[in-house]
Amino acid sequence: GKKLIQRFTSSNPSPAYIEAVVNAFKTGTFNGKRFSGKYGDLGATVAAILLHEDARAQDSSSNGLLREPMLKLIHVMRSMEYAEATNDNVVFRRLEDIGQFPYHSPTVFNYYKADFMPDTDSFRRQLNESDKSENPEPEPEPEPEPLTAPEFEIFTAPYAITLLNGMNQLVENGLSSCWGGLGQWIGNCDPRGRLEHKEAPTVGETVEE
């Protein structure tokens, strides 16, 4: 149950959230709605994952998850209505340098470990050192619980910069391979396509979108 939740909504689901998903899988029901009523019902399981109140709550630092780089790219292209200039198929180059590319994971399990925890100790130590030089040392606070964040294993500085450069070229030149672009080389650096999403008439309407 926990790993299914991690793929959809939260890297650190609460015990109650996990229990609700497990019960939906076992009983085939969720929140009073009967699906098949049988053990192993994936419809009820997915409903529990997406409709549980924890899936929509954003009231703590442990809610949510980091979107994978390939999903970020596809989301931008779909939401901004990317279209190739010649109506050809959209073709990427191999994108291991953004952290992942379909069918090229380093192991059969995934691009990252499901239980990966970012090392934040050194960052906290640096913050504490800077605070000591400016302010008197306060009472020590209890260490926060370590958080699981699987997708952060492939969120490194080189991967993030490559993705940002590729996004910039997507806006400027479409899905080109030139100047750090993410597209397949086609023999020249001519603009390949464009983002066709139209800006809303007013700022308020833009924010609503």
Side-chain angles (χ1 to χ4, degrees):
K2 179 178 180 180
K3 289 186 178 179
L4 281 175
I5 295 171
Q6 285 182 321
R7 298 275 51 79
F8 283 95
T9 58
S10 175
S11 294
N12 296 274
S14 67
Y17 191 3
I18 296 172
E19 183 180 7
V21 172
V22 170
N23 288 338
F25 181 82
K26 288 180 177 179
T27 64
T29 62
F30 173 68
N31 203 23
K33 177 176 174 58
R34 179 184 175 89
F35 289 78
S36 70
K38 298 178 180 179
Y39 181 89
D41 189 316
L42 291 181
T45 304
V46 172
I49 292 172
L50 299 180
L51 301 177
H52 192 276
E53 59 183 12
D54 282 10
R56 299 183 300 280
Q58 296 296 322
D59 53 5
S60 78
S61 59
S62 63
N63 291 131
L65 50 77
L66 178 69
R67 186 170 292 170
E68 302 165 53
M70 197 69 201
L71 296 184
K72 288 179 185 176
L73 175 59
I74 297 299
H75 180 218
V76 168
M77 294 179 69
R78 291 187 66 184
S79 61
M80 293 291 102
E81 301 175 13
Y82 177 79
E84 284 282 271
T86 57
N87 294 320
D88 288 335
N89 293 328
V90 172
V91 181
F92 299 100
R93 62 175 174 80
R94 289 181 62 171
L95 298 176
E96 284 91 342
D97 55 355
I98 68 169
Q100 64 179 169
F101 189 63
Y103 310 111
H104 287 267
S105 60
T107 74
V108 297
F109 299 105
N110 209 334
Y111 300 88
Y112 41 79
K113 300 180 184 68
D115 57 355
F116 178 77
M117 295 182 181
D119 179 15
T120 58
D121 290 341
S122 59
F123 178 67
R124 289 198 188 99
R125 282 196 297 270
Q126 289 177 1
L127 287 180
N128 290 336
E129 290 296 327
S130 62
D131 287 343
K132 286 178 184 177
S133 62
E134 298 175 4
N135 303 306
E137 186 171 348
E139 289 293 324
E141 296 181 359
E143 288 292 324
E145 287 292 324
L147 295 178
T148 302
E151 294 83 1
F152 272 87
E153 189 170 8
I154 56 173
F155 186 70
T156 65
Y159 288 162
I161 293 299
T162 300
L163 179 61
L164 288 174
N165 287 340
M167 291 282 199
N168 181 63
Q169 287 306 310
L170 180 66
V171 174
E172 296 289 334
N173 298 302
L175 201 59
S176 167
S177 65
C178 301
W179 305 293
L182 305 174
Q184 186 72 29
W185 170 250
I186 59 169
N188 60 63
C189 289
D190 295 338
R192 290 278 302 279
R194 59 193 179 278
L195 305 176
E196 296 191 333
H197 182 72
K198 304 300 183 185
E199 184 178 0
T202 66
V203 173
E205 290 174 306
T206 301
V207 172
E208 285 297 319
E209 288 183 359

